[in-house]
Amino acid sequence: MMTTIAFIRHGETDWNIEKRAQGCKDIPLNDNGKYQAERLAKRFVDENWDAIYASPLLRAFKTAEAISGTTGLNVIADARLREISFGETEGTTESERLERWGENWMELDLGRETNEDADLRWKAALKDIIQKHKDEKVLIITHGALLVRIFKDLLQDDTDRWYGLNNTSFSIFNLKAENDWTCELFNCQRHLEKSATI
């Protein structure tokens, strides 16, 4: 037996299109994001999962609610699964950040949540979920920057291959023994392919 976690990035927002840092700003799904969530939900028609957890931010929670409509599972909101806070840079594009703070803006203290603080909260959330759902299958809907932190840590892989997660992408991780994670599927969006029979 093993515990299976499917990590899902939320559907598209207008700020995704505009390449604005979202962080903890509560930006809703746009029309395409709602469509993506509906297509994602159909993926679970013939699948059995035991629980759904989600960030309470609208873009993630509404994506989770679409899946809830297919699976019949209630969405459990957990604030520890929210996106990393980007502080004063939230709502800005890269060009706006360069104009406002200069080329070294990433080195400035602009109120961004530290990676260490973000890691503490998602690790606590995941530990609780695993303890509650040992040998079960759990869906977690959250955010891109946080997912990169999660994937790098679980597989002890600090390469750049975890970046660029697509909206409503589906990644499956299996826990076979304590801290022994494997990645079965990564950044899959087959539910959005026109030829997909879901």
Side-chain angles (χ1 to χ4, degrees):
M1 297 292 289
M2 64 183 176
T3 304
T4 297
I5 307 287
F7 294 100
I8 297 169
R9 188 185 177 205
H10 61 79
E12 184 184 83
T13 71
D14 286 343
W15 278 18
N16 286 143
I17 295 173
E18 297 167 6
K19 299 188 183 304
R20 295 187 181 278
Q22 293 186 111
C24 290
K25 295 292 187 187
D26 208 2
I27 308 304
L29 297 174
N30 60 20
D31 287 343
N32 189 49
K34 293 173 185 176
Y35 168 79
Q36 291 174 335
E38 291 168 4
R39 294 288 293 175
L40 173 68
K42 291 179 181 178
R43 183 173 189 148
F44 300 99
V45 169
D46 297 317
E47 295 187 13
N48 294 314
W49 292 83
D50 299 294
I52 304 174
Y53 287 80
S55 157
L57 295 176
L58 277 175
R59 56 193 186 273
F61 196 81
K62 290 297 183 181
T63 302
E65 281 190 331
I67 301 170
S68 173
T70 299
T71 63
L73 298 168
N74 292 325
V75 181
I76 303 168
D78 191 325
R80 296 173 297 179
L81 298 173
R82 65 170 171 74
E83 180 59 292
I84 297 170
S85 171
F86 300 143
E88 294 177 47
T89 69
E90 291 185 356
T92 65
T93 63
E94 176 69 14
S95 62
E96 289 170 346
R97 292 190 285 276
L98 289 171
E99 181 180 347
R100 193 172 303 178
W101 295 293
E103 292 183 3
N104 298 322
W105 66 268
M106 290 188 70
E107 299 172 13
L108 302 176
D109 180 8
L110 297 172
R112 178 188 165 104
E113 180 180 15
T114 66
N115 287 333
E116 291 75 17
D117 285 345
D119 288 345
L120 284 173
R121 61 177 170 81
W122 75 253
K123 286 180 180 181
L126 187 59
K127 180 180 179 181
D128 289 348
I129 290 169
I130 291 168
Q131 287 179 342
K132 188 173 182 179
H133 300 281
K134 181 176 171 56
D135 297 326
E136 293 185 346
K137 297 173 64 179
V138 180
L139 301 167
I140 294 178
I141 297 84
T142 182
H143 306 268
L146 192 71
L147 283 171
V148 170
R149 301 290 310 165
I150 293 172
F151 294 166
K152 284 185 172 187
D153 186 88
L154 294 187
L155 296 179
Q156 293 299 293
D157 181 352
D158 201 30
T159 65
D160 291 340
R161 69 187 180 115
W162 307 111
Y163 290 96
L165 290 170
N166 296 317
N167 290 111
T168 66
S169 65
F170 186 76
S171 301
I172 298 177
F173 282 63
N174 296 313
L175 179 62
K176 297 181 178 179
E178 187 175 359
N179 297 322
D180 181 15
W181 289 92
T182 59
C183 180
E184 176 184 334
L185 184 69
F186 175 65
N187 200 28
C188 178
Q189 274 189 310
R190 69 174 175 82
H191 49 277
L192 299 183
E193 297 172 3
K194 290 184 179 179
S195 59
T197 53
I198 304 172

